[in-house]
Amino acid sequence: MEVCGNLEVDVNGQEIFLVEKKILAFFSGKLRKLLLGKFKGTGRGVKVIFHDFPGGAECFELIARFCYNNGSIVLTPSNIFLLHFAANFLEMKGNIHGIPNLILQTKIYLEGIHYWTWPELVVGLKQCQDLLPVLSSSRIFQEFLDSLVEKLFMPGVASQRTSSSYSSSFQFSGDVSSEGEKNYNSQTTWWFQDLGFISIVLLENLVHTMMLQNVEHATICSFLLSYQKSRFFSVSTAERCKVTETVVNLLCLLDEGSISYRGLRDAFGMTLSLKMSRCCMVKLESLIGSRLDQAKLDDLLVPSPPGKKYAYDSNLILRLVKIFLLESCNKYSNYRLKKVAGLIDLYIAEVAPDPYLRPSKFAALAMSLPDVARDSHDRLYRAIDMHFEVHRGLSEDEKISVCCALNYNKLSPENANHLARNPNFPTGLVATASASLKSKLKTLLKEGHHHKISCDNLVNLRAKNGRRKYKVEEGRKRGRRMAYIMRTRISSSSKSRSLPRLCSCGSVPMYPPNELYKHYGTLVE
């Protein structure tokens, strides 16, 4: 400030201000205490040094303007937090000549936070970022974050955003694409890029506030992964590591079912070029491994670490499988386990031809899953056969260690027959496979014999039922003929004499015509 004065104020080593002692001390209780009795008359000036002034030189200039303007200043979202915390720092409490002190003025203004528009909240958030050391335990700061989070999901808030805020939001997200614009206008993600500028400390505060306000964890997860992606290409390598570690730590706080596997995969891919801490990588691998059944083959084809000759990082896959199995003890169904088994079989087939992959590592991959995970071992057998073709110099013991993963009873007859004649496999195992094949064939023959017997029984049953039906029909015909004869006899004899007693004495059963029909039918059966 180009103002003559008798007091030098060094603000955080950034800038030295020359001001009038009486003017600033009139409003600041702290300066009055510091300067009390140290300056009289018009002698040499006094110098005050502040090492931790809130907001730095920019904020002190605002305070000086307030004092020189007789306690008046226009409060806006862009200066309210700076003025509030600086006023508290300088103890600007007392009302002077009826003029409200600066602390009171800023408190009254901050009471209207809930009525701020979205752009005003974003501006205020940027000011908060510069004051983070002071804000850590501030109730006003937490109220501000509460208001900001509430605004995220209020109807119509997205429409408050201006074109300038739209364009500036992409300064930290890389480039503008049609997909980015689509996400930008999405009902749940429109604010992601507006908040991409915040520091990792402010990110932690914001996410904790979201969780306290019961924001859907899936939305928080998407925001965190978007934040990491947008910051990754705009900061230094060291900062990238810090951003990734912060994001991973926050992801671990969310519900398991809310975390996107695709997002985790992308996050992991970005860490491959970084020297991440072991703790962070363990957490990230744990998140990915517990969702391994959602992966695809391409996700597993991670290049080997620098200096290694083998193509893919098989150690990583073994760790992921181990994590999945530990997590799946009580949570996951056999269906998910079988999905992982199919995925690992594809991976094993992919790495089998690698001439630099050690047999012990290949065996570990083959035996990484329990036997119940696979209904068939055909794909595993084909991968082992390919591995043996490439590694022709393997000893019998090395081959046996690899073949321990095979369950011969889960091979199809075609593959069991192929194994029985395969010169690449150890002789003892070929004999075992042959015995297994013979047993399988016997079983199939028995099943075929039983099937034939069942078919024969079915044919015989059908024939018997046919004969039974024929006999019943014949009985019915006989019944009808006998009924006709009885009716004829009764009709002829009624003209000359009564029905003979013989007919009623039991020699010939006396039934009504319809009962006679049924009776003979039953007898024939």
Side-chain angles (χ1 to χ4, degrees):
M1 295 178 63
E2 298 180 359
V3 179
C4 295
N6 52 14
L7 174 65
E8 290 185 9
V9 182
D10 185 338
V11 181
N12 301 349
Q14 299 173 351
E15 191 172 346
I16 297 177
F17 292 85
L18 187 62
V19 294
E20 285 290 333
K21 168 205 166 185
K22 290 182 179 180
I23 294 177
L24 266 70
F26 183 75
F27 292 95
S28 171
K30 188 166 190 173
L31 284 175
R32 283 198 299 271
K33 293 176 185 177
L34 289 173
L35 302 174
L36 183 62
K38 294 186 177 179
F39 180 73
K40 293 182 181 180
T42 58
R44 288 187 59 188
V46 178
K47 185 173 183 179
V48 175
I49 299 176
F50 292 126
H51 297 288
D52 52 356
F53 192 88
E58 177 189 356
C59 187
F60 185 83
E61 183 173 351
L62 290 174
I63 293 292
R65 290 184 183 278
F66 171 82
C67 296
Y68 274 87
N69 200 31
N70 198 29
S72 176
I73 192 170
V74 177
L75 300 178
T76 66
S78 62
N79 65 22
I80 185 64
F81 288 104
L82 292 174
L83 288 172
H84 178 75
F85 288 101
N88 278 277
F89 180 83
L90 291 175
E91 301 175 7
M92 303 174 75
K93 300 176 182 180
N95 295 336
I96 302 174
H97 304 307
I99 302 174
N101 63 68
L102 186 56
I103 293 178
L104 181 59
Q105 290 185 47
T106 55
K107 278 185 177 181
I108 293 173
Y109 188 91
L110 287 170
E111 289 174 358
I113 282 179
H114 295 282
Y115 302 101
W116 289 12
T117 64
W118 175 255
E120 289 174 336
L121 288 169
V122 173
V123 170
L125 191 63
K126 291 178 180 178
Q127 294 297 318
C128 290
Q129 183 155 275
D130 297 332
L131 296 167
L132 279 176
V134 184
L135 290 173
S136 56
S137 58
S138 169
R139 180 183 57 83
I140 291 178
F141 175 57
Q142 187 56 54
E143 290 179 358
F144 172 74
L145 290 180
D146 289 338
S147 178
L148 185 141
V149 172
E150 289 172 3
K151 270 286 194 293
L152 297 178
F153 306 100
M154 285 185 178
V157 173
S159 63
Q160 298 176 357
R161 301 161 73 236
T162 62
S163 58
S164 60
S165 65
Y166 176 83
S167 60
S168 65
S169 67
F170 284 98
Q171 293 177 358
F172 45 78
S173 62
D175 57 349
V176 180
S177 63
S178 58
E179 183 66 25
E181 292 175 0
K182 180 179 179 182
N183 291 336
Y184 180 83
N185 293 315
S186 170
Q187 184 176 2
T188 58
T189 64
W190 59 266
W191 48 273
F192 283 10
Q193 292 166 337
D194 282 2
L195 303 184
F197 68 88
I198 62 178
S199 66
I200 55 178
V201 177
L202 192 52
L203 175 71
E204 291 176 326
N205 284 277
L206 183 61
V207 169
H208 286 301
T209 302
M210 290 180 179
M211 295 180 69
L212 289 173
Q213 293 203 20
N214 297 320
V215 174
E216 289 187 2
H217 284 200
T219 301
I220 299 176
C221 172
S222 298
F223 170 59
L224 288 171
L225 295 173
S226 173
Y227 175 85
Q228 185 209 14
K229 199 170 185 178
S230 66
R231 297 279 290 179
F232 196 80
F233 302 103
S234 61
V235 296
S236 65
T237 301
E239 189 67 17
R240 291 176 188 176
C241 292
K242 292 180 180 178
V243 168
T244 302
E245 289 178 2
T246 302
V247 168
V248 170
N249 289 334
L250 292 172
L251 286 173
C252 291
L253 301 177
L254 305 180
D255 295 337
E256 292 184 3
S258 64
I259 302 177
S260 160
Y261 175 80
R262 297 290 108 187
L264 289 174
R265 178 202 63 182
D266 294 342
F268 182 82
M270 287 186 281
T271 66
L272 295 178
S273 61
L274 303 175
K275 293 183 178 180
M276 303 296 302
S277 67
R278 181 58 187 159
C279 179
C280 178
M281 293 308 298
V282 167
K283 290 180 179 179
L284 186 54
E285 288 177 11
S286 178
L287 291 171
I288 295 174
S290 61
R291 296 160 181 79
L292 192 58
D293 58 307
Q294 302 175 32
K296 296 180 180 179
L297 176 60
D298 289 344
D299 301 335
L300 304 189
L301 300 179
V302 179
S304 61
K308 302 295 183 180
K309 292 185 177 180
Y310 50 85
Y312 302 113
D313 191 352
S314 298
N315 290 323
L316 169 64
I317 306 307
L318 289 171
R319 293 196 300 271
L320 295 180
V321 172
K322 183 178 180 180
I323 291 168
F324 179 83
L325 292 177
L326 289 174
E327 293 286 336
S328 66
C329 290
N330 300 317
K331 298 179 183 178
Y332 302 145
S333 62
N334 285 335
Y335 172 74
R336 298 185 70 183
L337 183 61
K338 291 181 188 301
K339 280 189 67 177
V340 171
L343 179 67
I344 295 302
D345 283 348
L346 292 175
Y347 179 81
I348 291 173
E350 193 72 25
V351 300
D354 188 346
Y356 295 105
L357 183 64
R358 297 196 309 272
S360 59
K361 194 65 63 180
F362 184 82
L365 288 169
M367 293 185 288
S368 61
L369 290 166
D371 185 66
V372 295
R374 296 182 176 93
D375 293 326
S376 170
H377 278 222
D378 286 351
R379 285 193 294 188
L380 182 59
Y381 164 69
R382 291 296 182 182
I384 293 175
D385 185 29
M386 185 184 300
H387 188 71
F388 287 169
E389 281 285 344
V390 175
H391 298 79
R392 289 185 173 272
L394 296 181
S395 65
E396 291 286 298
D397 290 340
E398 287 176 320
K399 289 184 177 181
I400 290 173
S401 67
V402 172
C403 291
C404 286
L406 272 180
N407 184 338
Y408 305 105
N409 294 322
K410 290 189 176 183
L411 291 175
S412 64
E414 293 79 10
N415 282 304
N417 183 47
H418 185 274
L419 173 57
R421 297 179 289 105
N422 194 334
N424 290 331
F425 279 70
T427 306
L429 297 179
V430 170
T432 304
S434 300
S436 176
L437 177 61
K438 290 178 181 178
S439 175
K440 189 181 293 288
L441 291 174
K442 286 181 180 180
T443 302
L444 291 174
L445 288 173
K446 287 181 180 179
E447 290 177 354
H449 177 66
H450 289 313
H451 177 70
K452 183 176 183 303
I453 292 175
S454 299
C455 290
D456 291 344
N457 289 340
L458 180 61
V459 171
N460 292 336
L461 180 60
R462 288 178 177 174
K464 182 178 180 181
N465 287 340
R467 289 194 297 273
R468 177 186 179 89
K469 182 178 181 181
Y470 172 76
K471 289 180 179 181
V472 170
E473 188 61 32
E474 284 296 310
R476 289 173 178 172
K477 289 180 180 180
R478 290 179 184 179
R480 285 195 292 269
R481 286 198 298 270
M482 183 61 68
Y484 174 76
I485 292 170
M486 293 300 296
R487 285 197 301 269
T488 302
R489 285 181 179 178
I490 293 171
S491 177
S492 300
S493 56
S494 62
K495 295 180 182 179
S496 58
R497 60 180 184 275
S498 303
L499 187 65
R501 293 178 63 88
L502 180 63
C503 292
S504 60
C505 291
S507 299
V508 179
M510 294 299 295
Y511 296 99
N514 58 334
E515 291 297 324
L516 187 67
Y517 170 87
K518 293 180 180 178
H519 177 68
Y520 273 92
T522 304
L523 288 176
V524 173
E525 283 188 272

